[in-house]
């Protein structure tokens, strides 16, 4: 496949180069301005050749990306069908636990700990656990006076296993006399309590007050994945005992640390449906992770209701529920139309003129049956017009008229022009030219805003070729407006005579009388 893409892309490069070269052999443009000046559009034609090459490369890149995306989706599907791999930390703890059962404590455990200090982490953790199990007081006293050991990574294993064996409720009393260890052990106590009995968290926080900051105790409680059967109890405790941002932070920590994000999504939805305060729900939606989790299990092939629900949960724009629902449906329609055009490679055919908007619309309808009802079809048409109108203005207009949407032409085309004016000013101007004059006049202030910057930049980039090009555009209000802003650019560059000549071609008196300075 890579070889085919390589050969094809090079063939296209050759073809585009030939087109660009051939274009330079054509006669000079028919414009009087270019004939008088002897101006040849070689630079512009070279740029057009480069543009064709860029588009051709983009088309082949789209194919490669589509295949890559398909491979990725298939890989994720296979992974989803497989049982999840065991947690690496838990697997290591299981090995340490097994090894600790084989440890024979010597007469001087402290000396052995010193010997193991710079050795294997697993062996050190297993020995420390065996000593804590046999004589917690002595082991804790040793660790208290040897911070270089309890500061090693091995401590996260032996402390966690020791707390698990003794129970979260028993450990605080055992560590009370070891102030240097309290902060370390408190986190494991909170983790174990959350995993075994979330209702005990409040009592433990009171007993370990001052061992860690309150926020750190809560963070440690939900730092690891909770068993599925304990999440509801944890949520009950959170909503009954915490206040303000602690509620949202704790709920989000549980969801983030749930390995299967689909389970995390289920937990979040249950939390939001359980009577959370509106400000807490807004806090949850403010987390970047919230949207990642809520997208879990929802993709382009999911039922529309699930996709709409996802967008609604993510905070889609809209003042009323009806407006939000409509916004969500329009976004989905736009995404689906754009995705299909790119994955089918017909978007490039549309841009190159090989296929027109009217012809392509029938294929879009057949490819996206989820929008077959009248309301869905209108959303799909709006999305398609926005995608196709810059490439085929006349075809898009004919399609709108065929579908009985003449009254919506200006609205839909305006959206396309606003999004495309700076990346393709020529196409945007050609599209504006097919809008009925009176509808264009009603929105002229918007086009003033669009054209004031975009035409200034285009005139600066293309020079006399730009002046020649706009004179060849269809006469009308749109061309007059473009000429006005081009003339303003010429005046700014000190070309008053050229600006005056261009101004004479403007037919609309209101635009013609506008000042150029």
């Amino acid at each position: 496949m890579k070889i085919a893409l390589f050969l094809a892309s090079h063939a296209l490069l050759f073809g585009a180069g030939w087109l660009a070269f051939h274009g330079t052999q054509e006669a000079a443009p028919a414009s009087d301005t270019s004939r008088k000046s002897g101006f040849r559009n070689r630079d512009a034609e070279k740029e057009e050749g480069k543009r064709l090459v860029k588009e051709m490369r983009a088309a082949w890149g789209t194919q490669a990306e589509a295949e890559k995306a398909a491979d990725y989706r298939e890989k994720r599907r296979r992974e989803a069908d497989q049982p999840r791999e065991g947690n690496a930390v838990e697997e290591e703890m299981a090995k340490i636990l097994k090894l600790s059962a084989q440890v024979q404590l010597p007469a001087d455990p402290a000396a052995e700990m010193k010997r193991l200090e710079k050795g294997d982490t697993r062996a050190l953790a297993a020995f420390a656990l065996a000593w804590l199990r046999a004589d917690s007081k002595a082991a804790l006293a040793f660790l208290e006076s040897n911070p270089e050991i309890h500061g090693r990574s091995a401590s996260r294993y032996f402390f966690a296993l020791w707390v698990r064996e003794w129970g979260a409720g028993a450990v605080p009393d055992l560590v009370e006399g070891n102030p240097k260890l309290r902060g370390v052990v408190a986190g494991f106590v909170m983790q174990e309590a959350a995993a075994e009995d979330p209702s005990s968290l409040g009592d433990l926080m009171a007993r370990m007050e001052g061992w860690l900051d309150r926020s750190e105790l809560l963070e440690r409680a939900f730092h690891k994945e909770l068993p599925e059967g304990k999440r509801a109890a944890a949520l009950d405790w959170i909503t009954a005992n915490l206040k303000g941002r602690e509620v949202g932070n704790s709920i989000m920590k549980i969801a983030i640390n749930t390995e299967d994000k689909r389970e995390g999504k289920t937990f979040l939805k249950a939390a939001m449906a359980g009577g959370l305060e509106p400000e807490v729900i807004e806090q949850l939606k403010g987390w970047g992770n919230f949207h990642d989790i809520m997208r879990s299990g929802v993709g382009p092939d999911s039922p529309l209701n699930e996709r709409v629900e996802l967008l609604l949960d993510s905070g889609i724009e809209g003042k009323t529920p009806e407006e939000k629902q409509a916004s969500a449906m329009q976004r989905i329609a736009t995404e689906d139309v754009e995705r299909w055009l790119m994955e089918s490679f017909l978007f490039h055919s549309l841009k190159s003129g090989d296929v027109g908007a009217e012809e392509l619309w029938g294929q879009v309808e057949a490819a996206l049956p989820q929008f077959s009802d009248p309301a869905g079809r209108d959303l799909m048409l709006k999305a398609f017009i926005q995608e196709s109108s810059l490439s085929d203005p006349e075809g898009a207009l004919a399609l709108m008229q065929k579908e009985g949407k003449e009254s919506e032409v200006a609205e839909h085309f305006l959206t396309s022009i606003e999004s495309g004016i700076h990346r393709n000013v020529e196409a945007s101007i050609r599209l504006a030219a097919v809008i009925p004059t009176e509808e264009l006049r009603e929105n002229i202030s918007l086009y003033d805003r669009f054209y004031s910057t975009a035409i200034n930049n285009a005139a600066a980039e293309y020079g006399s070729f730009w002046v020649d090009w706009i004179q060849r555009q269809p006469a009308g209000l749109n061309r007059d407006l473009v000429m006005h802003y081009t003339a303003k650019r010429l005046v700014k560059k000190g070309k008053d005579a050229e600006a005056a000549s261009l101004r004479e071609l403007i037919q609309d008196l209101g635009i013609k009388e506008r000042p150029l300075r």
Side-chain angles (χ1 to χ4, degrees):
M1 186 62 199
K2 290 181 179 178
I3 294 176
L5 285 172
F6 177 84
L7 294 175
S9 62
H10 278 65
L12 286 169
L13 286 171
F14 177 81
W18 182 85
L19 285 172
F21 173 78
H22 181 68
T24 64
Q25 310 308 308
E26 299 290 344
S31 164
D32 290 340
T33 303
S34 61
R35 280 202 296 266
K36 291 176 182 177
S37 64
F39 177 74
R40 294 289 301 275
N41 301 331
R42 295 182 187 277
D43 289 342
E45 289 165 348
K46 289 178 182 178
E47 290 302 313
E48 178 67 6
K50 292 179 182 178
R51 183 184 66 79
L52 288 172
V53 171
K54 183 178 180 180
E55 289 183 2
M56 292 170 180
R57 281 175 169 166
W60 286 106
T62 300
Q63 181 177 0
E65 287 298 318
E67 292 172 353
K68 182 179 179 180
D71 291 343
Y72 176 75
R73 288 194 295 269
E74 176 60 20
K75 178 183 177 183
R76 291 300 301 267
R77 186 193 64 76
R78 290 195 303 267
E79 289 175 349
D81 291 339
Q82 299 297 320
R84 284 183 288 158
E85 295 182 5
N87 184 284
V89 173
E90 289 295 332
E91 289 179 358
E92 180 62 18
M93 287 173 68
K95 293 175 181 176
I96 291 170
L97 184 63
K98 183 177 180 180
L99 184 60
S100 71
Q102 303 169 13
V103 171
Q104 298 292 325
L105 292 175
D108 188 357
E112 183 65 10
M113 281 283 280
K114 284 287 190 180
R115 188 185 70 81
L116 293 171
E117 178 187 346
K118 294 187 172 72
D120 179 65
T121 296
R122 186 181 299 167
L124 175 61
F127 186 86
L129 176 60
W131 192 9
L132 284 165
R133 185 186 293 140
D135 189 349
S136 296
K137 184 176 181 179
L140 290 170
F142 173 81
L143 292 170
E144 173 85 7
S145 58
N146 289 273
E148 69 279 2
I149 294 180
H150 71 70
R152 282 195 55 182
S153 60
S155 66
R156 67 172 175 158
Y157 296 117
F158 63 71
F159 277 137
L161 287 167
W162 177 60
V163 171
R164 187 176 298 178
E165 288 186 3
W166 280 76
V171 168
D173 290 340
L174 296 173
V175 184
E176 179 65 37
N178 305 102
K180 293 181 181 179
L181 301 180
R182 291 174 186 168
V184 178
V185 174
F188 295 109
V189 170
M190 293 296 287
Q191 281 182 17
E192 185 64 21
E196 293 298 322
D197 181 14
S199 66
S200 67
L201 288 169
D203 175 65
L204 288 168
M205 289 178 69
R207 292 169 60 190
M208 296 188 296
E209 185 176 1
W211 292 20
L212 286 175
D213 290 341
R214 178 181 173 85
S215 60
E216 289 184 84
L217 287 172
L218 287 171
E219 196 277 336
R220 294 295 292 172
F222 308 117
H223 184 69
K224 291 179 61 178
E225 180 174 21
L226 291 186
E228 185 176 3
K230 300 295 181 179
R231 292 171 200 157
L235 179 60
D236 289 342
W237 180 82
I238 289 168
T239 55
N241 294 276
L242 302 184
K243 301 295 181 183
R245 298 189 65 83
E246 288 181 347
V247 178
N249 289 342
S250 297
I251 290 173
M252 204 63 219
K253 289 294 290 186
I254 294 174
I256 291 172
N257 290 313
T258 300
E259 183 175 349
D260 187 331
K261 295 310 174 190
R262 290 168 296 186
E263 293 180 12
K265 175 182 174 180
T266 299
F267 173 75
L268 277 179
K269 292 176 70 174
M272 291 190 294
L276 292 178
E277 295 293 331
E279 55 268 25
V280 174
I281 293 178
E282 288 305 308
Q283 178 193 350
L284 291 175
K285 292 181 178 180
W287 284 68
N289 309 76
F290 175 87
H291 304 291
D292 294 336
I293 293 171
M294 296 303 289
R295 278 193 290 266
S296 299
V298 179
D301 299 326
S302 299
L304 277 177
N305 65 308
E306 292 185 11
R307 299 174 68 188
V308 169
E309 182 182 9
L310 169 63
L311 290 175
L312 294 177
D313 288 338
S314 300
I316 193 75
E317 62 275 5
K319 295 181 180 178
T320 66
E322 292 75 19
E323 287 182 0
K324 292 179 180 180
Q325 180 87 8
S327 295
M329 284 296 294
Q330 185 62 69
R331 183 182 296 186
I332 292 169
T334 300
E335 289 174 352
D336 285 2
V337 168
E338 181 179 356
R339 184 181 301 107
W340 184 82
L341 287 172
M342 296 301 291
E343 292 183 352
S344 67
F345 311 114
L346 290 173
F347 190 60
H348 179 67
S349 298
L350 176 69
K351 293 178 71 174
S352 64
D354 292 338
V355 61
E358 287 187 273
E359 177 186 351
L360 191 54
W361 170 240
Q363 298 183 52
V364 172
E365 285 188 286
L368 302 175
Q370 64 268 38
F371 301 106
S372 58
D373 64 282
R377 195 169 182 274
D378 285 347
L379 295 173
M380 182 168 58
L381 176 63
K382 180 179 180 180
F384 177 71
I385 290 298
Q386 291 177 8
E387 291 292 332
S388 64
S389 55
L390 285 174
S391 299
D392 184 11
E394 292 80 8
L397 177 62
L399 176 59
M400 292 286 287
Q401 293 170 338
K402 181 179 178 181
E403 293 291 327
K405 303 291 184 182
E406 295 93 335
S407 63
E408 300 175 20
V409 167
E411 174 191 348
H412 291 347
F413 285 7
L414 180 64
T415 303
S416 299
I417 292 166
E418 184 173 18
S419 65
I421 187 69
H422 292 291
R423 56 185 169 87
N424 196 336
V425 64
E426 298 99 320
S428 298
I429 290 171
R430 285 195 295 266
L431 178 57
V434 305
I435 298 176
T437 299
E438 290 311 309
E439 293 185 23
L440 184 65
R441 194 181 299 278
E442 289 177 6
N443 295 286
I444 199 165
S445 62
L446 291 173
Y447 287 90
D448 280 323
R449 178 165 60 85
F450 298 158
Y451 288 171
S452 60
T453 302
I455 291 177
N456 182 67
N457 294 340
E461 181 176 359
Y462 296 115
S464 57
F465 171 71
W466 177 260
V467 176
D468 180 64
W469 181 81
I470 61 173
Q471 292 181 63
R472 296 200 305 268
Q473 300 312 300
L477 181 63
N478 182 63
R479 188 182 76 162
D480 288 347
L481 198 59
V482 174
M483 284 183 172
H484 167 71
Y485 281 105
T486 303
K488 288 193 69 171
R489 166 71 187 183
L490 291 172
V491 168
K492 185 178 180 180
K493 299 300 291 184
K495 299 179 180 180
D496 291 21
E498 293 181 45
S501 298
L502 193 61
R503 191 180 196 180
E504 285 301 312
L505 299 175
I506 297 176
Q507 299 174 2
D508 185 271
L509 293 180
I511 295 178
K512 194 169 189 174
E513 292 173 358
R514 289 183 176 186
L516 296 180
R517 297 184 186 275

